[in-house]
Each structure stands twice: as structure tokens, then as C-alpha cells.
């Protein structure tokens, strides 16, 4: 909906009456965990039909007021993104492929009948927030500032149609090392539920997908597993992805397989980056359907040597065991494999500026 003629949006800085005291902040960022502590500021931009994006502010992070009839509360017109600001060796900060998040955000917006946000505004909003909250960067090994841009339909109207008013908001949360290095491989439960169906919203990063995955995820936890895996909706045979991470399968002949993007899988930026890095390493990567049956047979024959999951939050995580109603099988030795560790290190080194960035992915702040 943005046109090229639209002038770049200007952000108004609202003063913060009471930022968190430095000593309190230092104490919380020393052990941030994930997603439970938030910084002082947030970005808000409004959209209205006929007016477009306007009223861009960066101000105190505070509760937002919504009419109880706001469309997001009834029909779940909501999308989000997740990315991190990293600290580089020279103490400066950087983002990793933020324009890819901006593009995906607009693809999600299109599927949820929401207005597009100019990509440069998306990236600028994030830069402004990181600059305002740079003191919240956690001083822990592997720490990052996790950024959560999202958009909600705010119009008060109970009819079923796309809303005519929205808010784009960005909040930030200091994050520790999600899975510390040397983390054990995770155990996976193959769900009987499906996450996404052809023609549905599986490729959109929308809250509704997550609402629907909570019961399957709780079931996996209750059975003693760490993560849930979803198969395709039509045949319940083809591997799709975990609750919030994409999957890769590594074979003894140097091949790597990842399920293809066909509208039911979230197009992960980590997934895309690892495809490139694996090819750089001389591996053959194919995006092709891979079945649960083949996975089990290949793990048992030894053809399949490693499986890993990937996403911004946890980067790269090895899969150790897989269970469904028919039993359990183990991948390799059941622990993190060599290729998993190597690809993770390659990616993390680029993100943190300790290795060259041949693909121009790092955006310095
Ligand atoms: C966000 C997300 C991913 C991972 O995407 P990244 O861009 O790599 O962080 C994978 N699956 C789902 C369902 C997601 O929401």
C-alpha cells in the first residue's frame, strides 16, 4: 500500500519520565533468560485507511489501550517478526538481514489482509529502538537484544472484514544464550495435530498459528519431549517443521535435505542462511519432501547422520531422538553432530562479526 512517492516517515522521540535505574537494569541483564525482561522504550506507528502510516513515535514502553471491540481481539488479525541485535567484537552493534524480516513481515501482512509497511521504515524503527535501548544489551556470553516487531488490527468493529486501523509496534528484550554451547540434542514428539494446511496461513508469521500449536506443544512436553514436530496435513507423512524452527537432515554422502517452502512452512531466515552456508562448505542442499518413514529408515541404516532445527531464537539445535505413537528412534549417537556444530559456528561467527561476511548479511548500527 506504500507508494514510492510516500515521504520517509519521521520518528518523534517522546521523553521517558522514569527509565529503569542503571543498577536495577544491570542486575536484570546479568541473567536475562528469554522473553521475560523488556527494555525502557518501544516504537509505535499508526495506520488508518485513507491516511496510511503516520504518527511514528519512540517513547516509553507502556501498556496500550484498545477498544474491547478491536478486531485483533476477535479475529486474530496479528502478525509478528523476531530478530536480534548482536554485539560485534569492536563493541558496536549489528543486525542480521533485517531487510529479510521486513520483506517477510509484508508477506505475512498480505496473507492476513493487513497494510504493507515500507521496508525501510521497518528497519529504521528497529534501528531507533536499538539505539534508544543500547544500555539494555546483556553483558553475558552469547547475549543479544531480541527485537519483536508486530502489527495488530485496532479498529473497533465486529463485522468480518479487514480492519481499517492498525498499530505497528516494536519492543525489545535482552536475551541470554538461548541454548548454551554444548547444549544437549533435543528430543522430538511427532504430533498427531497439524500446524498448517495447503492454502492456509502456514507461511505467515501470525499469532494464530502459535495459538493452534500450544496444545500439541503441551502434549509433547507432557510426554517428556522438548519440541513438537508437525507433519503435512494431507497425508500426515511428510516432515514440515517444529513449532517454531525449520529442519535439516544430513546424510553420510554430504547431502543435506530441508523440506521445501510450499505455503505450509515458515520461510525461516536462518534456514535460508544455512542453505547458503552449507553450499559454501561444498555440501549439496536440496529442498525436497522427506517423509517420517524415510527419516526413521535412514537413521536406522546409518545413512542419515544428523538432524538439526534452526531459527533466530535458538540458532541451530541438534535433534537427538524422535518419538511418535509407534516408538522412538535415535539420530546418530543421539548427541549433537559435527556438521550441526560447524554450521552453527559459521553462522554465529558471521552474526557476531568474528568471521568475514561474504554475503553482506550484517547491517552495522
Ligand atoms: C519464526 C519461525 C521460524 C524461524 O524463522 P527464522 O527467520 O529463522 O527465525 C520457523 N518456524 C516458525 C513457525 C516460525 O514462526
Amino acid at each position: 500500500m506504500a507508494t514510492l512517492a510516500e515521504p520517509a516517515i519521521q520518528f518523534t522521540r517522546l521523553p521517558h519520565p522514569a527509565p529503569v535505574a542503571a543498577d536495577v537494569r544491570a542486575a536484570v541483564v546479568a541473567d536475562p533468560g528469554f522473553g521475560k525482561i523488556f527494555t525502557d522504550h518501544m516504537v509505535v506507528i499508526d495506520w488508518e485507511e485513507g491516511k496510511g502510516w503516520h504518527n511514528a513515535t519512540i517513547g516509553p514502553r507502556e501498556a496500550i489501550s484498545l477498544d474491547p471491540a478491536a478486531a485483533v481481539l476477535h479475529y486474530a488479525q496479528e502478525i509478528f517478526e523476531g530478530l536480534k541485535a548482536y554485539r560485534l567484537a569492536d563493541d558496536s552493534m549489528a543486525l542480521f538481514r533485517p531487510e529479510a524480516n521486513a520483506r517477510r513481515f509484508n508477506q505475512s501482512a498480505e496473507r492476513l489482509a493487513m497494510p504493507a509497511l515500507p521496508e525501510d521504515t521497518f528497519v529504521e524503527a528497529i534501528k531507533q529502538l536499538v539505539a534508544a535501548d543500547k544500555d539494555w544489551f546483556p553483558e553475558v556470553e552469547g547475549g543479544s537484544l531480541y527485537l519483536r516487531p508486530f502489527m495488530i488490527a485496532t479498529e473497533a468493529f465486529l463485522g468480518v472484514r479487514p480492519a481499517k486501523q492498525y498499530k505497528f509496534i516494536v519492543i525489545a528484550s535482552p536475551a541470554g544464550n538461548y541454548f548454551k554451547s554444548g547444549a544437549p540434542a533435543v528430543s522430538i514428539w511427532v504430533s498427531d495435530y497439524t500446524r498448517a494446511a495447503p492454502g492456509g496461513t502456514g507461511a505467515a508469521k501470525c499469532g494464530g498459528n502459535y495459538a493452534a500449536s500450544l496444545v500439541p506443544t503441551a502434549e509433547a512436553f507432557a510426554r517428556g519431549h522438548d519440541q513438537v514436530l508437525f507433519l503435512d496435513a494431507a497425508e500426515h507423512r511428510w516432515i514440515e517443521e517444529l513449532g517454531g524452527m525449520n529442519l535439516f537432515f544430513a546424510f553420510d554422502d554430504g547431502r543435506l535435505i530441508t523440506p521445501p517452502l510450499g505455503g505450509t512452512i515458515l520461510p525461516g531466515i536462518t534456514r535460508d542462511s544455512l542453505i547458503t552456508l552449507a553450499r559454501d562448505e561444498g555440501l549439496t542442499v536440496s529442498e525436497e519432501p522427506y517423509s517420517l518413514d524415510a527419516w526413521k529408515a535412514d537413521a536406522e541404516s546409518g545413512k542419515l547422520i544428523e538432524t538439526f532445527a534452526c531459527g533466530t531464537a535458538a540458532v541451530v539445535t541438534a535433534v537427538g531422538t524422535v518419538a511418535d505413537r509407534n516408538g522412538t528412534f535415535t539420530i546418530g549417537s543421539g548427541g549433537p553432530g559435527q556438521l550441526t556444530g560447524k554450521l552453527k559456528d559459521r553462522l554465529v561467527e558471521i552474526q557476531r562479526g568474528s568471521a568475514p561476511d561474504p554475503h553482506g548479511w550484517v547491517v552495522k548500527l
Side-chain angles (χ1 to χ4, degrees):
M1 293 199 185
T3 65
L4 286 174
E6 196 171 311
I9 202 158
Q10 296 295 317
F11 289 80
T12 303
R13 182 73 185 257
L14 308 175
H16 199 309
V20 172
D23 56 335
V24 176
R25 187 181 65 227
V28 293
V29 301
D31 181 22
F34 183 80
K36 56 187 170 81
I37 297 162
F38 300 96
T39 62
D40 281 325
H41 294 92
M42 68 181 187
V43 167
V44 181
I45 314 179
D46 294 320
W47 187 92
E48 199 176 314
E49 192 176 76
K51 207 170 170 186
W53 292 104
H54 62 285
N55 199 20
T57 59
I58 173 151
R61 196 186 80 88
E62 60 190 10
I64 53 174
S65 139
L66 283 178
D67 191 287
V72 63
L73 302 177
H74 302 272
Y75 309 126
Q77 230 192 329
E78 189 269 359
I79 57 169
F80 67 96
E81 272 300 325
L83 69 163
K84 288 171 170 174
Y86 302 92
R87 177 150 278 166
L88 306 182
D90 65 2
D91 240 29
S92 66
M93 294 213 278
L95 301 170
F96 184 75
R97 306 186 69 184
E99 70 296 334
N101 294 93
R103 204 174 318 126
R104 185 171 68 188
F105 192 66
N106 282 339
Q107 284 159 2
S108 300
E110 189 175 1
R111 182 63 184 85
L112 276 280
M114 301 170 92
L117 179 71
E119 287 178 20
D120 53 355
T121 303
F122 179 98
V123 174
E124 182 59 24
I126 287 162
K127 287 182 174 174
Q128 297 252 350
L129 185 61
V130 173
D133 284 329
K134 60 181 184 327
D135 292 342
W136 284 87
F137 198 95
E139 297 300 337
V140 296
E141 169 73 24
S144 60
L145 200 57
Y146 182 80
L147 299 151
R148 170 54 61 89
F150 62 104
M151 193 197 320
I152 53 172
T154 52
E155 187 193 0
F157 180 64
L158 294 182
V160 180
R161 57 141 172 82
K164 297 181 178 181
Q165 287 171 350
Y166 298 86
K167 270 187 196 303
F168 169 73
I169 302 176
V170 192
I171 55 174
S173 173
N177 205 346
Y178 195 94
F179 290 135
K180 296 205 166 55
S181 55
V186 295
S187 105
I188 299 288
W189 170 251
V190 182
S191 187
D192 294 325
Y193 291 94
T194 43
R195 173 185 172 274
T201 57
K205 215 166 168 77
C206 61
N209 288 343
Y210 277 77
S213 75
L214 297 176
V215 162
T217 304
E219 185 183 75
F221 292 169
R223 289 173 175 273
H225 302 284
D226 303 306
Q227 291 280 340
V228 66
L229 176 129
F230 294 105
L231 299 175
D232 75 292
E235 297 180 67
H236 207 69
R237 175 175 169 211
W238 304 103
I239 298 163
E240 297 221 305
E241 61 172 314
L242 303 187
M245 285 190 272
N246 297 118
L247 283 167
F248 282 84
F249 306 90
F251 297 86
D252 58 1
D253 59 359
R255 272 182 319 127
L256 212 50
I257 287 180
T258 191
L261 304 176
T264 56
I265 289 176
L266 203 289
I269 295 162
T270 318
R271 172 189 181 278
D272 185 72
S273 306
L274 289 172
I275 289 174
T276 300
L277 293 179
R279 287 183 179 148
D280 289 352
E281 296 287 333
L283 297 161
T284 307
V285 187
S286 52
E287 298 177 64
E288 64 177 62
Y290 190 54
S291 69
L292 177 62
D293 289 343
W295 191 17
K296 182 168 191 286
D298 292 343
E300 284 171 355
S301 75
K303 242 174 83 181
L304 174 100
I305 50 177
E306 296 179 41
T307 300
F308 56 88
C310 67
T312 296
V315 197
V316 174
T317 305
V319 173
T321 58
V322 184
D324 70 0
R325 292 191 186 282
N326 302 317
T328 302
F329 61 94
T330 302
I331 314 293
S333 62
Q338 278 194 350
L339 180 67
T340 301
K342 183 172 176 179
L343 288 175
K344 177 178 181 169
D345 290 347
R346 286 282 295 119
L347 181 61
V348 168
E349 284 163 8
I350 293 172
Q351 288 171 335
R352 298 185 188 265
S354 54
D357 172 27
H359 303 287
W361 286 338
V362 175
V363 175
K364 291 201 174 206
L365 298 176

